[in-house]
Amino acid sequence: MKNIAVFTYNFTVEYSISVLKGIYEYFEKCPGVRVFYAQTKLPNSGAGFFEYQYWAAAEFLNTNSIDEVILLSNSYFYYIPREDFLKTFQPFFNKPCVSVGFDLQKKNTYYTATECKDAYDEIVGHMKNQHGCKRFAFFSANQVGSAEAVERYEAYKAALKKHGLEFDEKRVFDGRFTSNSAQEELRKRIKSEEDIDFDVIICANDLMAVGCIDYFIGLGISIPEKVKIVGFDNTSHAALCNPGITTIDPSIEMQGRDAAEMAVSLFDKKKKERRHVTPLQIRYRRSCGCNGKSDSRYMDIYRNLIGYYDDMTQIDFIFDFLKGASSLTEIANSIEKVGFQFGFSTLSVFMYDEPFELEKKDAFEVPNQIRFVMHLDFDKNTRIVVDDGEVFNPHEKILPDFFEKDGILNDGQFILQPVFLGNYQYGYLVCRLRRSSFGVNSIVLKILITVLAQSYDYTKTLRRAKFIDSANHMLTNHNIDLKIKSSTDELTGVLNRRGFLNNAQKIISFATDLNMAGLVFFADLDGLKKINDNYGHEYGDIAIQLQTKVLKEAFRQTDIVGRLSGDEFGVVSIGMAMDYVDVVRKKVEVLNKKFTEENKLPFELSISIGAAGFDANDTNLAELLKRADADLYEQKKIHHAQQKGQ
């Protein structure tokens, strides 16, 4: 079995999506190969709050089990200079490496490339001979200064020279490969039609061509009658723009297929050509004065648009379904039920025994061990979820030994995604792809890693709670008598006010001594007076008893539930985070409806819940209950406002 790692900056840019689609389609027909795709961003990246966390994927794939690497070099060069890129990926150059876009000029590296020289020669000749253009302008990406930007700029100048046309530096506009940068530059230099001293402007990419069209139309300048515009890349923007943009098509998907083919050909270790050139084509459309020929791009965009709405519906469904789960077992149950909605057929999760904090300034070092915790196969309808799964060294392998032995993940194509939440790293997951919808899969994975991280914390909390339970028995032997019986509420069977206040404060102090935090809840049964007035106190007692059962079922066995007064309850939850408050409220709401129907009540059970967090610096139960009560009051205001709105 051969293993290939494919690195791109991210899964959501059209260029990367197209290259990855080409790679994916080629490897679909290659048995005996496992392909691991990773969006890595950059180590210590300043972009976003936690984007630097994605670099962990690259470190996990820098293992002895990876045989070759495919790098989407172009996807990185916009964000990082070539020299820094080479330094960043230096550890991977000891293996055969195929670069998409540029020659990295390193031992063991090969590359697929396009030569835009001939394409610019053709488009300049076309504009001169077919449309009579003599004064040419160029919208460069010189503000970026990437190798790609330089190559296109130089090819444009060479084409002018070949066709005997004047190169005028005053007709060069500098942008950043974006529509906004193009419009910013035009606003500085062109105020009206009189400022235009060129017949055609050739842009280094389609986005800047779109910016030119939008700006000129805003000035009332007609395209292509007054100014003709040419782009580069043949993105969806070029096809959907009005007028459609004549553009140079770099056959991006074909570059991906060529890179995959080159990677496979390297397995036999024979001497190969280091370079493969993918031919470019010109797509003539209305922006240069041509009528335009129909091409498959429009149908591709239409299919993608239809698929986009389906995918967004699925993502919304997945998010709503998963957010109610708590423990890893519940997560596994939920994922199994919606597995058909995912863009992948298996999900394998590997976690550290303890998550660790990783700041933006820190270098990520792969730990020496990681633990298998979950594997779901949606096609075979099988799953493995374990507390103490096999531990292995991720420096040496991506998957544990029993995966290889049992053939759990044979050849196929997978995404490797770090599991992180905020500054904390938890491990990684590996999922087998069903299709090449990398952009949508990226969103689904963001939901999944967040839920997995939270559920992993929650599962560990449950284990700690069992420890606390055992510790409580030990404390009892040391004359700390909780006096449960003498502190029990006669109507409900839970702790009464005195018993709750006494025991809850002890448990909070005990938990914080163990360096644990948690939540205090204050709950108020809605409409008890109305129930007593309309149906009698007997029904009022039934409502209180049933609401107690709801709370006991909604909370964990290790949580302390007490009745503080007629319609007020308190709960202490060790190790529970504020993120779970909405989950608890939702569970209570569902259980209230269930108990109302099962008991055929003439009214609907309802309760308002507020919460406050405690830690070692904040342990006073009375103050915590006050804050939870204040939160409850805010929840009631929101509830009343919603009822008025209805």
Side-chain angles (χ1 to χ4, degrees):
M1 182 71 66
K2 297 292 186 180
N3 295 315
I4 297 177
V6 179
F7 295 134
T8 183
Y9 182 81
N10 60 31
F11 289 152
T12 56
V13 174
E14 187 171 2
Y15 168 80
S16 295
I17 291 171
S18 296
V19 175
L20 293 173
K21 183 178 179 183
I23 295 173
Y24 179 89
E25 288 175 352
Y26 183 86
F27 280 120
E28 268 196 310
K29 303 169 185 175
C30 290
V33 178
R34 270 190 304 223
V35 184
F36 294 93
Y37 298 90
Q39 55 177 340
T40 68
K41 308 301 172 73
L42 289 167
N44 316 117
S45 171
F49 288 106
F50 306 110
E51 288 199 348
Y52 65 91
Q53 296 273 31
Y54 283 97
W55 180 252
E59 298 292 352
F60 281 121
L61 287 169
N62 185 21
T63 72
N64 296 334
S65 57
I66 292 296
D67 300 295
E68 291 182 6
V69 174
I70 297 177
L71 278 172
L72 274 65
S73 306
N74 271 349
S75 71
Y76 294 94
F77 283 174
Y78 181 82
Y79 303 95
I80 185 172
R82 179 189 178 92
E83 295 73 21
D84 293 343
F85 170 83
L86 293 174
K87 182 178 178 181
T88 300
F89 282 94
Q90 179 63 42
F92 296 95
F93 297 146
N94 63 335
K95 298 174 182 177
C97 177
V98 178
S99 166
V100 181
F102 286 98
D103 182 4
L104 302 181
Q105 298 177 348
K106 290 280 187 178
K107 184 180 178 181
N108 273 338
T109 63
Y110 304 78
Y111 68 104
T112 64
T114 56
E115 287 189 347
C116 58
K117 185 176 179 181
D118 290 342
Y120 275 110
D121 180 17
E122 179 181 340
I123 197 66
V124 168
H126 174 81
M127 299 309 300
K128 175 186 176 184
N129 300 324
Q130 298 296 319
H131 299 293
C133 296
K134 296 180 181 178
R135 299 173 299 165
F136 283 70
F138 188 73
F139 223 121
S140 77
N142 288 341
Q143 290 185 35
V144 175
S146 66
E148 185 179 36
V150 172
E151 181 189 25
R152 295 180 186 182
Y153 184 44
E154 295 301 324
Y156 163 74
K157 291 194 291 185
L160 289 187
K161 183 176 181 180
K162 182 174 179 179
H163 288 276
L165 295 165
E166 176 190 5
F167 170 72
D168 187 347
E169 199 165 328
K170 294 179 181 177
R171 292 179 183 151
V172 175
F173 298 81
D174 292 332
R176 298 186 300 275
F177 280 135
T178 65
S179 175
N180 286 340
S181 68
Q183 294 192 54
E184 287 172 11
E185 181 79 354
L186 290 172
R187 271 192 288 270
K188 295 175 186 175
R189 296 174 54 179
I190 296 179
K191 308 296 184 184
S192 66
E193 185 172 329
E194 287 70 31
D195 296 327
I196 297 175
D197 65 342
F198 46 85
D199 307 315
V200 57
I201 183 165
I202 297 177
C203 302
N205 81 336
D206 290 336
L207 283 175
M208 291 194 294
V210 171
C212 290
I213 288 177
D214 289 345
Y215 184 76
F216 289 144
I217 289 177
L219 289 181
I221 298 168
S222 59
I223 311 293
E225 288 76 14
K226 176 61 180 177
V227 181
K228 296 169 174 44
I229 296 177
V230 176
F232 196 114
D233 284 335
N234 194 31
T235 62
S236 56
H237 306 88
L240 296 177
C241 190
N242 186 20
I245 299 173
T246 290
T247 185
I248 299 171
D249 183 356
S251 304
I252 298 174
E253 283 185 32
M254 181 62 74
Q255 289 185 53
R257 286 193 287 272
D258 290 343
E261 183 178 12
M262 180 176 280
V264 170
S265 73
L266 293 173
F267 286 142
D268 59 18
K269 297 184 179 179
K270 293 180 181 178
K271 183 174 176 59
K272 301 290 182 182
E273 293 293 329
R274 290 192 60 251
R275 177 172 176 264
H276 178 88
V277 177
T278 304
L280 305 182
Q281 299 180 58
I282 311 297
R283 304 295 179 185
Y284 293 105
R285 299 188 179 110
R286 183 81 184 102
S287 72
C288 79
C290 293
N291 290 327
K293 299 175 182 178
S294 61
D295 58 50
S296 61
R297 192 80 179 109
Y298 302 104
M299 185 55 67
D300 289 342
I301 293 168
Y302 174 75
R303 291 195 190 100
N304 290 339
L305 187 61
I306 297 300
Y308 170 81
Y309 288 115
D310 290 340
D311 289 334
M312 289 304 105
T313 301
Q314 289 179 356
I315 288 169
D316 186 60
F317 174 76
I318 289 167
F319 178 75
D320 283 342
F321 199 86
L322 290 183
K323 68 182 180 182
S326 300
S327 68
L328 281 174
T329 301
E330 288 178 347
I331 286 291
N333 291 337
S334 298
I335 292 174
E336 274 190 316
K337 291 175 183 175
V338 295
F340 65 93
Q341 301 277 6
F342 289 111
F344 36 86
S345 58
T346 66
L347 173 67
S348 306
V349 182
F350 310 94
M351 298 283 207
Y352 318 125
D353 285 341
E354 290 291 337
F356 62 87
E357 191 170 10
L358 183 68
E359 297 287 350
K360 194 175 291 189
K361 66 182 186 310
D362 300 334
F364 177 75
E365 296 183 9
V366 177
N368 291 325
Q369 65 178 39
I370 198 164
R371 187 180 300 276
F372 162 72
V373 298
M374 182 190 302
H375 173 74
L376 305 175
D377 190 319
F378 308 125
D379 291 338
K380 296 179 181 178
N381 198 28
T382 59
R383 75 166 179 169
I384 309 170
V385 182
V386 291
D387 287 337
D388 297 310
E390 180 176 326
V391 174
F392 61 98
N393 187 345
H395 289 276
E396 297 297 325
K397 60 192 76 171
I398 301 167
L399 306 171
D401 288 337
F402 81 93
F403 269 51
E404 301 288 344
K405 181 181 176 182
D406 299 340
I408 290 178
L409 292 182
N410 292 320
D411 52 0
Q413 303 192 65
F414 307 86
I415 288 178
L416 188 144
Q417 167 82 36
V419 178
F420 62 88
L421 185 61
N423 290 332
Y424 283 86
Q425 276 278 342
Y426 287 76
Y428 63 89
L429 60 83
V430 174
C431 52
R432 186 198 299 271
L433 293 167
R434 290 187 189 275
R435 53 185 183 271
S436 60
S437 303
F438 287 93
V440 173
N441 285 336
S442 178
I443 301 172
V444 172
L445 288 172
K446 281 186 177 181
I447 297 171
L448 261 180
I449 64 172
T450 301
V451 173
L452 283 168
Q454 291 176 336
S455 68
Y456 195 57
D457 283 341
Y458 184 70
T459 300
K460 288 174 63 182
T461 297
L462 291 179
R463 293 173 190 152
R464 286 185 182 180
K466 290 179 182 178
F467 168 75
I468 292 174
D469 230 14
S470 300
N472 281 338
H473 290 297
M474 293 174 63
L475 288 174
T476 300
N477 294 332
H478 287 82
N479 299 319
I480 299 181
D481 185 1
L482 297 180
K483 300 179 181 179
I484 297 296
K485 291 183 179 179
S486 64
S487 304
T488 300
D489 178 62
E490 188 175 341
L491 178 63
T492 62
V494 298
L495 291 171
N496 58 25
R497 181 180 182 85
R498 179 182 176 184
F500 177 82
L501 294 177
N502 183 32
N503 296 320
Q505 185 64 72
K506 288 179 181 178
I507 290 299
I508 290 172
S509 299
F510 181 69
T512 52
D513 285 345
L514 293 174
N515 199 29
M516 295 181 68
L519 298 177
V520 171
F521 292 87
F522 189 87
D524 182 3
L525 180 64
D526 295 328
L528 179 61
K529 183 178 184 304
K530 187 176 180 181
I531 294 171
N532 286 331
D533 292 346
N534 292 340
Y535 306 104
H537 286 271
E538 181 182 351
Y539 267 106
D541 288 347
I542 291 172
I544 292 170
Q545 289 172 325
L546 289 175
Q547 194 63 74
T548 304
K549 290 182 179 180
V550 166
L551 291 174
K552 289 178 70 176
E553 189 167 331
F555 284 91
R556 305 165 300 183
Q557 290 185 349
T558 52
D559 297 332
I560 298 177
V561 179
R563 184 184 176 201
L564 303 182
S565 68
D567 59 355
E568 295 176 342
F569 296 85
V571 183
V572 173
S573 296
I574 306 299
M576 189 177 287
M578 288 298 291
D579 291 344
Y580 291 98
V581 174
D582 285 339
V583 174
V584 169
R585 287 180 179 135
K586 184 65 176 177
K587 285 184 177 179
V588 168
E589 182 183 340
V590 170
L591 287 168
N592 275 335
K593 289 180 180 178
K594 174 186 172 185
F595 277 50
T596 298
E597 293 172 2
E598 288 179 351
N599 292 275
K600 298 179 180 178
L601 298 178
F603 51 85
E604 185 167 326
L605 284 174
S606 176
I607 193 168
S608 299
I609 300 174
F614 68 82
D615 56 27
N617 299 315
D618 189 4
T619 61
N620 187 287
L621 178 61
E623 291 299 320
L624 291 165
L625 285 170
K626 283 182 184 179
R627 294 213 310 271
D629 188 22
D631 183 47
L632 181 150
Y633 179 70
E634 292 299 318
Q635 292 298 318
K636 279 186 178 288
K637 286 201 300 185
I638 294 171
H639 181 66
H640 291 323
Q642 289 174 339
Q643 286 184 324
K644 281 186 177 182
Q646 294 172 352

